[in-house]
Amino acid sequence: MGHKFADIAFTPRVRALQRDQGSRDSYARMEQGADNHHRLGPREADFIAARDSFYMASVTETGWPYVQHRGGPAGFVRVLDDRHIGFADFKGNRQYISTGNFRSCDRVALIMVDYPNRARLKLLGRVRELGEGEPDQLAALAVADYGAGIERGFVIELQAFDWNCPQHLVPRYSAEELARQLDPLREENRRLRAIIAGYQRNA
Ligand SMILES: Cc1cc2nc3c(=O)[nH]c(=O)nc-3n(C[C@H](O)[C@H](O)[C@H](O)COP(=O)(O)O)c2cc1C
């Protein structure tokens, strides 16, 4: 009931610790009321659709957490509806750790970060692997003009999400984001240098 992320993440031991540390009362209020934080709204959908990378945790069949970085062109993570997202599994180092993990445990945790805007979204879900037997659904996850081959697709049925606070998130910019800011300044710099050179020639 209530906040679905809390429902999953606040296990009995976590709740006991919150009680010991004095934060339990405020967090207990999150667990009241109608279910929430399990359907993506426009804010979450826009945020996910703009990402060019995220971190993905799976669970090995021996119980270890395993985290991998996933990346692609911005928009490679598709919001399929308010409970499902999907992305292509590009050909990589061929260790198949995440895929192997999902075959014994379909639970997944993602963290997506927007560094320039200092925002991060945590997601919990269950993964379904898409193979060659589902060509239409796989094709829907394809990325145009991207060199990496697609080995399979992953569709995640979301169980819960939560936004993190921006604390300790240092703004960072991709080369492309920097170029958008710097290119007009470089152009202005070029024009000013040309003007100065003109004055110097005529001095
Ligand atoms: C040629 C190649 C080599 C790679 N080597 C590594 C590596 O040594 N370590 C790593 O974490 N990712 C590496 N990657 C990226 C991973 O292969 C990629 O993220 C992959 O999807 C990870 O699969 P996994 O989730 O099963 O670990 C490599 C990718 C390519 C294309």
Side-chain angles (χ1 to χ4, degrees):
M1 292 294 284
H3 198 298
K4 296 299 281 181
F5 198 95
D7 190 34
I8 294 172
F10 296 174
T11 61
R13 278 196 178 83
V14 171
R15 288 195 181 112
L17 195 56
Q18 291 171 356
R19 205 167 293 117
D20 289 349
Q21 299 293 319
S23 60
R24 182 65 201 141
D25 287 352
S26 60
Y27 284 123
R29 283 194 286 277
M30 287 170 70
E31 295 161 24
Q32 310 301 314
D35 286 354
N36 60 80
H37 286 75
H38 64 309
R39 291 187 187 282
L40 301 173
R43 183 182 175 210
E44 289 79 30
D46 289 350
F47 184 88
I48 293 167
R51 301 280 59 81
D52 63 5
S53 69
F54 60 90
Y55 298 93
M56 176 170 79
S58 54
V59 185
T60 73
E61 60 191 314
T62 49
W64 283 93
Y66 171 75
V67 184
Q68 180 59 280
H69 171 273
R70 293 292 169 134
F76 82 107
V77 186
R78 304 283 157 73
V79 177
L80 304 173
D81 60 39
D82 66 0
R83 294 296 310 277
H84 296 87
I85 63 173
F87 59 93
D89 189 22
F90 299 121
K91 187 170 179 165
N93 58 7
R94 307 187 74 206
Q95 291 184 355
Y96 304 114
I97 302 173
S98 300
T99 306
N101 291 346
F102 293 144
R103 288 186 184 182
S104 66
C105 175
D106 66 357
R107 292 175 184 182
V108 68
L110 309 180
I111 185 156
M112 299 184 171
V113 187
D114 175 350
Y115 288 98
N117 293 304
R118 302 180 68 224
R120 59 189 148 188
L121 181 65
K122 299 184 293 191
L123 303 141
L124 294 171
R126 292 187 179 274
V127 179
R128 192 167 76 80
E129 192 181 323
L130 283 180
E132 286 169 3
E134 293 160 290
D136 293 345
Q137 286 171 276
L138 204 52
L141 302 179
V143 177
D145 303 324
Y146 192 55
I150 295 176
E151 290 195 326
R152 63 191 60 71
F154 292 125
V155 171
I156 298 176
E157 183 190 6
L158 294 171
Q159 306 295 306
F161 67 83
D162 199 15
W163 289 95
N164 265 176
C165 75
Q167 201 174 15
H168 306 300
L169 262 189
V170 178
R172 297 174 209 277
Y173 299 88
S174 68
E176 205 176 302
E177 287 161 344
L178 275 180
R180 275 201 293 275
Q181 302 289 325
L182 292 177
D183 284 354
L185 297 176
R186 289 195 181 105
E187 175 57 19
E188 186 179 24
N189 188 272
R190 192 194 60 74
R191 279 191 291 105
L192 291 172
R193 282 173 182 274
I195 292 168
I196 292 168
Y199 279 122
Q200 284 171 338
R201 271 195 303 276
N202 297 329

